[in-house]
Amino acid sequence: MVPLLLVLLLALLLFGVGFAVKILWWVAILVLVVWVVGFVARGTHPSGGRHRWYRW
């Protein structure tokens, strides 16, 4: 009985890790899209040059 429970617990843990990794991939893609859009759509600085749209 204990080995069966350990196998089921391991399967559940691996499923959870896989789901979390999939969510992190979607978050990474979303951040990349926002960064690219911000890079392309940045405005011009009042002095005529381009300025950074981020603070760092």
Side-chain angles (χ1 to χ4, degrees), residues 11-30:
L12 184 64
L13 182 70
L14 290 177
F15 174 76
V17 168
F19 185 73
V21 168
K22 187 174 181 179
I23 292 292
L24 287 176
W25 271 109
W26 282 111
V27 169
I29 290 170
L30 181 68

Side-chain angles (χ1 to χ4, degrees), residues 2-56:
V2 172
L4 179 62
L5 288 175
L6 288 176
V7 169
L8 288 175
L9 184 62
L10 182 64
L12 184 64
L13 182 70
L14 290 177
F15 174 76
V17 168
F19 185 73
V21 168
K22 187 174 181 179
I23 292 292
L24 287 176
W25 271 109
W26 282 111
V27 169
I29 290 170
L30 181 68
V31 168
L32 178 66
V33 167
V34 168
W35 179 78
V36 168
V37 167
F39 184 77
V40 170
R42 63 184 174 176
T44 58
H45 199 266
S47 65
R50 305 282 257 181
H51 71 287
R52 294 182 302 204
W53 63 281
Y54 50 86
R55 299 192 74 155
W56 28 269

